[in-house]
Amino acid sequence: MCECCTTKKDIYLPQLATIEKMRLMNDTEMYFRFNMDDGPMDFIPGQFVEVSVAGVGEAPFTISSSPTQKDGIEMVVRRIGNVSKALHNLKTGDKIGIRGPLGEGVYPVEEVKGKDIVFICGGIGLVPQRSFINYVLDNRDDYGHVTILLGTKCHNQRFFQSELEQWTTRDDIHFLETIDEAHDCWNGNVGVVTTLLPKIESELASSEIMVCGPPIMYKFVLMALAEDNVPHDQIYLNLERKMKCGVGKCGHCQINNYYACVDGPVFKYSDLGIAPEAI
Amino acid sequence: MTVKKITKADFTDLIEKVIASQKVYAPQAKGDKYDFAPLTSAGDMKLDYDVTLQPPKKYFIPPVETLLTFEVGGGYQSQFDEEKFVLLGVHPYDMVAINQIDKLFSDGHFDNHYMNRRTNATIIALDVVNASKNVFASEIGTATVKQGYDLLLTDIGDAYIAEAATEKGAALLAGANAADATDDDLAKKQKVQSDNELSLSKHLLKCPASDLPKLLEKAYDHPVWEEQAETCFACGSCNQVCPTCYCFNVQDDVNWDMKTGERKRAWDGCMLDGFTKCAPDHEFRKNRADRFRHRLFRKGKYVPYKLGGEIACVGCGRCVGACLPDIANPVNVYNRLFDDLGNG
Ligand code: SF4
Ligand code: SF4
Ligand code: FES
């Protein structure tokens, strides 16, 4: 092979990792903690990895743990496609392939230091946000007021429940939760996540807002934030797309001009310019 | 840089010699059309072809290729094609397309599966002798090409003028019975090229190609996307035949032993159903009109944005002929937009 090709690593070649822990968190969400076989991997909240199950394929998953946590890397896999189903069928000690960390559009970990932050999470959107949330909690003094809004469809789809309990009791964050559909076992807020926004209306315009949720959610959140005149350069959108290569080549994740895999997955709203496909 | 004149008979002899030592791919007759294929006898090459059915991209991004091998539950091993080959008879517009993909595959994350094949290749480009029915390279500025090839041939009637641009090209040419090109020969070559710069224009673009990104900026919500896409089959032919389309899919194949397998990359197309589908219930560009727009925005705005303004349609005209409902022609769409929005 030519020299320039041998000296550069193969961008499609996964590295092996070992599953340390697996736990089903509800009907569809499986928690994973894994360690890279060749030593720890550095990453920034918002980055993702391409996970391989040899023989089944590869799929992208955002890292859910904070880089401050030294004991392995966590992710949450919803049973939805071939790769995620195969992942659910693995067991502790099994090997998976990992490419990453990927994504150059990450959470503004440095940029928003000293500022107030609002996290708006819809359902599985909690997974990537949790990486930054835990990072903030581990460096609590570096950031201002922290508010977390979480909306989940049904009561029994909630996950990371014990962590959510802890957030409720902490007095250095403001945690509000809602579920879309009323249920006997639930005596909290009912309604979609945007129904929580009026409760923190006064904070919004002066906060940095991190948004992640199902595709349908973004439009409603952005409409609500527009009503409160939140400047676009204070809004960060974590955009999920179909990804194959994860390195800006295959074209699957393209959002108008942008590639979710390299330019994102986290985008500052004001940087997106005219990208109607974003929401 | 060496420039030689070589008679057609001597060039055929040269290629016959090259075939003996290296794989050669060249345009050959396929029914009443032409296509690139492995050359077994120099006499089969058709260097006066108008356009090939498929662009030569398949030699760098094969329709299906193995990226890795793996053991189920175990490790992965990169796979690379080691074969050196000669790609003969690449028209300038196709050369420009290869140059573009070179940039896109080497910038940022370096794709060494692609780049390895690229360095294994010796490319002999060829100025167009006969214009195809739908070519519009003159409109885009891709009727001639100045770089990317190892050797460039220009047919001046009784002979070829051969310009070696790299050492590989010079080494290849050194094996030929050829004379130094005279000023008169060079003038003839120049004439062929300047003629091509005007005459490869079967569809006329109403604005300079370099204005397309600006024109498209105003065109996102134009009715033309819905109107044109109404008859689109989402067959993906326009992607397949396009020398600048390179989107792909990746999937695993397990071998018969159920223990080993290969990870393969295969051509994909942004016009196909499901290209952006990421969950059973969610597909980002579900409407054909959105995909139709995406393809023409990619050619006219998105990729140019990555390539410093270079338009990612090279005017080969292949998609015009490949599209059954006859809606794929970029010139027609861009002209329609120019009529409606051009001066606004
Ligand atoms: S868009 Fe059509 S004319 Fe342009 S390069 Fe692609 S196939 Fe050729
Ligand atoms: S534009 Fe034509 S060639 Fe392209 S997908 Fe539609 S029908 Fe097929
Ligand atoms: S996932 Fe392939 S380009 Fe983004």
Side-chain angles (χ1 to χ4, degrees):
Chain A
M1 203 196 324
C2 72
E3 199 181 325
C4 60
C5 295
T6 37
T7 52
K8 296 202 169 69
K9 73 173 197 334
D10 182 357
I11 52 175
Y12 302 111
L13 183 68
Q15 303 300 317
L16 286 183
T18 306
I19 300 174
E20 306 290 342
K21 194 173 174 195
M22 285 173 71
R23 184 167 57 84
L24 196 60
M25 298 198 293
N26 58 25
D27 281 353
T28 50
E29 260 80 44
M30 178 79 86
Y31 161 93
F32 284 86
R33 196 180 72 224
F34 62 84
N35 269 312
M36 302 301 297
D37 288 2
D38 290 336
M41 179 171 87
D42 288 331
F43 66 94
I44 305 169
Q47 286 194 295
F48 67 97
V49 287
E50 285 279 351
V51 181
S52 284
V53 180
V56 181
E58 207 179 25
F61 296 97
T62 320
I63 299 171
S64 188
S65 49
S66 158
T68 45
Q69 177 197 304
K70 293 298 171 209
D71 183 22
I73 290 173
E74 294 171 335
M75 62 179 183
V76 174
V77 176
R78 170 171 286 186
R79 182 168 32 206
I80 205 166
N82 292 339
V83 176
S84 60
K85 280 179 194 152
L87 280 167
H88 274 237
N89 291 335
L90 295 178
K91 55 186 188 312
T92 309
D94 281 349
K95 300 282 180 201
I96 48 176
I98 298 286
R99 282 193 299 132
L102 299 168
E104 283 146 40
V106 295
Y107 280 115
V109 172
E110 294 299 322
E111 211 176 319
V112 303
K113 275 197 171 146
K115 302 194 173 148
D116 297 344
I117 310 177
V118 175
F119 292 93
I120 304 176
C121 320
I124 193 139
L126 172 64
V127 173
Q129 299 262 62
R130 179 175 169 265
S131 176
F132 191 20
I133 292 172
N134 283 342
Y135 183 87
V136 170
L137 296 183
D138 286 343
N139 297 281
R140 189 63 194 88
D141 295 344
D142 291 347
Y143 299 91
H145 200 247
V146 173
T147 305
I148 304 168
L149 309 185
L150 171 64
T152 311
K153 206 167 181 182
C154 311
H155 162 256
N156 58 7
Q157 284 179 355
R158 294 170 73 238
F159 55 91
F160 283 129
Q161 294 190 18
S162 56
E163 226 163 301
L164 301 185
E165 295 300 308
Q166 282 172 29
W167 291 355
T168 321
T169 55
R170 278 181 83 131
D171 55 10
D172 61 347
I173 57 173
H174 186 193
F175 175 52
L176 290 172
E177 200 183 349
T178 180
I179 59 167
D180 290 6
E181 297 152 19
H183 192 276
D184 291 346
C185 314
W186 179 254
N187 47 25
N189 297 299
V190 174
V192 294
V193 73
T194 39
T195 58
L196 296 175
L197 286 169
K199 297 181 197 284
I200 58 158
E201 208 170 357
S202 59
E203 296 169 34
L204 287 172
S206 61
S207 297
E208 305 290 320
I209 319 250
M210 312 294 144
V211 189
C212 188
I216 179 88
M217 191 187 92
Y218 293 88
K219 204 178 292 169
F220 293 105
V221 168
L222 288 172
M223 274 179 347
L225 295 179
E227 268 173 38
D228 288 303
N229 299 313
V230 181
H232 289 188
D233 60 357
Q234 285 169 222
I235 303 173
Y236 296 84
L237 307 170
N238 192 333
L239 300 176
E240 180 205 9
R241 285 298 181 274
K242 171 166 181 169
M243 292 184 192
K244 274 288 167 183
C245 71
V247 288
K249 310 292 183 208
C250 76
H252 283 276
C253 70
Q254 206 174 352
I255 304 170
N256 299 110
N257 246 353
Y258 303 98
Y259 291 80
C261 67
V262 284
D263 302 321
V266 181
F267 292 89
K268 194 189 264 198
Y269 188 29
S270 56
D271 287 349
L272 270 173
I274 304 162
E277 289 178 351
I279 54 165
Chain B
M1 193 167 44
T2 342
V3 187
K4 298 273 190 186
K5 177 180 179 170
I6 177 167
T7 67
K8 291 185 173 175
D10 283 338
F11 185 73
T12 306
D13 286 348
L14 171 68
I15 294 307
E16 207 69 73
K17 270 196 276 178
V18 177
I19 292 176
S21 65
Q22 266 191 75
K23 193 116 202 171
V24 178
Y25 301 101
Q28 294 165 62
K30 186 167 183 180
D32 58 351
K33 304 225 164 48
Y34 302 95
D35 212 1
F36 282 95
L39 194 64
T40 48
S41 157
D44 292 341
M45 64 187 176
K46 293 277 184 282
L47 297 187
D48 59 350
Y49 78 100
D50 54 358
V51 67
T52 54
L53 290 164
Q54 292 280 338
K57 71 174 174 187
K58 62 183 174 186
Y59 298 114
F60 305 109
I61 316 171
V64 182
E65 74 179 285
T66 298
L67 295 175
L68 315 159
T69 52
F70 56 78
E71 286 160 42
V72 173
Y76 297 81
Q77 188 79 47
S78 301
Q79 296 299 322
F80 294 100
D81 262 352
E82 292 306 341
E83 189 177 54
K84 301 229 184 303
F85 63 95
V86 175
L87 179 57
L88 165 62
V90 176
H91 277 168
Y93 48 80
D94 278 336
M95 191 65 238
V96 172
I98 293 170
N99 291 341
Q100 291 186 357
I101 300 187
D102 284 356
K103 239 182 268 174
L104 296 162
F105 272 51
S106 61
D107 272 2
H109 297 265
F110 188 92
D111 189 312
N112 48 12
H113 296 269
Y114 174 90
M115 292 308 285
N116 181 51
R117 280 203 193 82
R118 195 54 191 84
T119 21
N120 280 341
T122 303
I123 298 186
I124 306 179
L126 168 74
D127 277 316
V128 177
V129 180
N130 288 305
S132 72
K133 197 171 92 195
N134 288 314
V135 68
F136 56 94
S138 304
E139 300 297 296
I140 310 282
T142 52
T144 58
V145 65
K146 301 267 175 287
Q147 61 188 36
Y149 50 81
D150 297 289
L151 200 65
L152 171 68
L153 295 182
T154 312
D155 186 335
I156 57 162
D158 55 343
Y160 294 113
I161 303 302
E163 173 212 312
T166 64
E167 276 174 26
K168 261 197 279 187
L172 205 135
L173 196 52
N177 179 22
D180 286 341
T182 64
D183 285 350
D184 186 42
D185 296 331
L186 294 181
K188 284 183 186 160
K189 168 185 164 171
Q190 187 52 50
K191 171 91 170 62
V192 170
Q193 293 184 332
S194 27
D195 283 354
N196 278 352
E197 269 161 17
L198 294 174
S199 63
L200 304 185
S201 52
K202 301 296 175 63
H203 303 279
L204 295 176
L205 196 56
K206 291 185 179 175
C207 67
S210 55
D211 286 357
L212 290 174
K214 262 199 0 236
L215 178 65
L216 288 176
E217 226 151 77
K218 299 178 272 186
Y220 200 78
D221 295 317
H222 194 277
V224 73
W225 313 119
E226 288 285 349
E227 285 167 26
Q228 294 282 100
E230 222 161 86
T231 51
C232 174
F233 302 138
C235 66
S237 302
C238 50
N239 292 137
Q240 248 204 25
V241 300
C242 181
T244 68
C245 274
Y246 58 88
C247 288
F248 57 84
N249 199 356
V250 182
Q251 63 191 56
D252 283 7
D253 269 354
V254 183
N255 295 331
W256 181 240
D257 62 10
M258 293 293 137
K259 288 191 189 113
T260 57
E262 299 178 10
R263 177 157 296 168
K264 291 180 171 166
R265 128 158 105 190
W267 287 1
D268 208 338
C270 63
M271 297 296 284
L272 298 170
D273 283 333
F275 185 74
T276 56
K277 189 169 183 164
C278 77
D281 57 346
H282 202 82
E283 184 171 346
F284 286 92
R285 277 187 295 279
K286 197 169 171 48
N287 297 330
R288 290 187 184 175
D290 291 349
R291 303 206 292 270
F292 190 85
R293 172 176 59 198
H294 183 73
R295 174 176 158 260
L296 288 164
F297 261 69
R298 212 171 132 102
K299 305 286 173 217
K301 182 165 182 280
Y302 302 154
V303 181
Y305 171 84
K306 295 187 91 149
L307 291 175
E310 229 181 288
I311 301 303
C313 163
V314 294
C316 72
R318 288 184 180 96
C319 62
V320 183
C323 176
L324 224 55
D326 193 16
I327 52 171
N329 187 347
V331 176
N332 287 348
V333 176
Y334 294 144
N335 280 349
R336 165 79 192 286
L337 292 172
F338 182 78
D339 285 342
D340 286 3
L341 309 164
N343 305 310

